[in-house]
Amino acid sequence: MGSRFFLALFLVILVLGNEVQGNQEDDPGSLALLGTVQGSLLSYWTSAKEVAKDLYQKTYPISMDEKLRDMYSKSSAAMSTYAGIFTDQLLTLLRGE
């Protein structure tokens, strides 16, 4: 009895899902509106990215880039050292030595 109920429920959901998809495909006005809104948002996003990129290039000092690279290399070296120590301690704990 339970499997018949789930089979019937599945078929009802499948039919309703296909009906909803059919209704969306029949309305070309909503697709045109969606395309227009999507195009507008994309153009706004593109222009905002260009303005932000230009502002970044005008205000970003070169010395800051060198400092960031140096900080990254030092911190990655420290993290690899600490990761090695942690791995060694974990293996020692698991081996029971």
Side-chain angles (χ1 to χ4, degrees):
M1 175 97 181
S3 63
R4 287 183 187 175
F5 174 74
F6 287 119
L7 180 62
L9 181 64
F10 175 72
L11 289 175
V12 168
I13 291 173
L14 183 66
V15 168
L16 289 176
N18 286 336
E19 188 173 326
V20 168
Q21 287 179 354
N23 287 340
Q24 289 176 353
E25 292 172 357
D26 293 341
D27 190 12
S30 65
L31 293 177
L33 178 64
L34 179 64
T36 304
V37 170
Q38 201 172 25
S40 297
L41 289 176
L42 184 62
S43 68
Y44 290 141
W45 177 253
T46 305
S47 64
K49 281 193 326 187
E50 289 298 321
V51 169
K53 184 178 177 182
D54 291 341
L55 183 63
Y56 174 75
Q57 288 176 351
K58 287 179 184 176
T59 60
Y60 189 73
I62 301 298
S63 63
M64 182 66 93
D65 188 39
E66 293 171 0
K67 289 178 184 177
L68 287 174
R69 287 176 193 237
D70 184 49
M71 187 177 8
Y72 174 76
S73 64
K74 286 180 181 178
S75 62
S76 63
M79 285 303 296
S80 63
T81 301
Y82 289 124
I85 292 170
F86 177 74
T87 304
D88 185 47
Q89 292 295 321
L90 185 64
L91 290 175
T92 303
L93 180 69
L94 292 175
R95 284 188 207 149
E97 294 177 0

